[in-house]
Amino acid sequence: MDEYRQKLSENLEDYLEAIATLEAKHGTARPTDIAKAMSVKKPSVTAALNVLAERGLVEYEKYKPVTLTKEGRAVADSVRRKHELLSSFFTDVLGVNASSADMAACKMEHALEDGIMRKLIKFLKTLGRGEAAEASEMSELPEIFTLDLLPAGVPATVISVGARIGKIGTFAGIGLVSGAVVEIVRDGPFGDPVLLKVNDTEIALRRKQMKFVKVKRA
């Protein structure tokens, strides 16, 4: 999903989010409805849908409803979760009114990195407000995913450790092997390295190394 996010403009992400919202409300998303929802003209919608279709994020044919692909829905859901998390933070923690919080969340949701989102969820949990956000984040993950996507404090089972992690024998010696239970304890002072608990042992791992470890929900 990150690969798609890096290549998309904020405007295209808004289109995916609008399509997902229309599908949830009405079961379908037609170009005319998308134009109305985003307050743009239909030619602009057509141009955006053509780009999204080329990138494999939507299925689009002229005169037919638009459908999100699996990849497109993942991006849309990620943007939506960040919007909800930010809006909740602004209203529940900062006391901002709902309308202003929603507008601010719309502007910031595209720039919120996954690592920062995890920190915000962790902070909200200390206030008793983050459980729903974390549950939503986990529910959107596939059955098998890379370790860098795992929310903090959630255990997972190691499926494989790629050789590109470096010194694979060293990591095997401290228990980072297939079948081990791993959990993110906390990020480092600047987000890297990350402190992990592997079985009952704590180790530090760079986020770029975590991308070579595949896990599944424990």
Side-chain angles (χ1 to χ4, degrees):
M1 182 179 68
D2 289 340
E3 178 184 354
Y4 291 101
R5 291 294 307 278
Q6 290 170 2
K7 297 177 181 178
L8 288 180
S9 66
E10 294 181 7
N11 185 53
L12 290 177
E13 287 187 347
D14 285 336
Y15 272 98
L16 293 175
E17 189 177 12
I19 294 168
T21 300
L22 288 169
E23 285 186 339
K25 287 183 177 179
H26 308 295
T28 61
R30 298 182 178 277
T32 52
D33 297 326
I34 298 171
K36 183 177 180 180
M38 297 190 65
S39 300
V40 298
K41 295 184 177 180
K42 192 173 178 180
S44 297
V45 175
T46 301
L49 292 178
N50 283 328
V51 173
L52 292 171
E54 289 174 0
R55 300 189 182 191
L57 299 174
V58 301
E59 294 180 0
Y60 168 59
E61 293 182 34
K62 197 172 183 180
Y63 307 122
K64 291 185 178 181
V66 182
T67 304
L68 292 171
T69 64
K70 180 180 178 180
E71 293 80 8
R73 188 170 300 282
V75 176
D77 287 346
S78 176
V79 175
R80 188 198 71 247
R81 290 197 306 274
K82 291 178 180 181
H83 181 108
E84 293 172 349
L85 181 64
L86 288 167
S87 182
S88 176
F89 175 73
F90 295 145
T91 55
D92 296 347
V93 179
L94 302 185
V96 178
N97 67 68
S99 178
S100 296
D102 186 65
M103 288 190 291
C106 283
K107 295 177 181 178
M108 296 178 63
E109 61 193 23
H110 306 285
L112 183 64
E113 297 179 356
D114 291 339
I116 297 176
M117 183 171 72
R118 285 192 289 268
K119 288 178 180 293
L120 187 53
I121 290 173
K122 185 176 181 180
F123 172 71
L124 290 175
K125 283 183 68 177
T126 66
L127 303 178
R129 296 185 172 95
E131 290 83 354
E134 182 178 276
S136 174
E137 184 180 9
M138 279 299 293
S139 69
E140 298 298 338
L141 286 173
E143 183 65 24
I144 297 176
F145 51 95
T146 53
L147 181 58
D148 59 301
L149 298 178
L150 182 68
V154 178
T157 302
V158 176
I159 298 299
S160 64
V161 181
R164 294 178 64 188
I165 194 174
K167 298 182 179 179
I168 192 169
T170 300
F171 290 110
I174 55 178
L176 189 61
V177 295
S178 177
V181 176
V182 62
E183 180 181 326
I184 295 177
V185 178
R186 64 176 180 274
D187 291 339
F190 301 100
D192 209 12
V194 177
L195 183 64
L196 306 172
K197 183 168 69 174
V198 181
N199 295 327
D200 294 321
T201 302
E202 291 190 351
I203 65 171
L205 203 63
R206 296 286 181 184
R207 284 208 170 271
K208 64 180 181 180
Q209 293 175 307
M210 293 167 66
K211 294 180 182 294
F212 302 118
V213 181
K214 291 185 177 181
V215 299
K216 68 176 181 179
R217 306 172 196 179

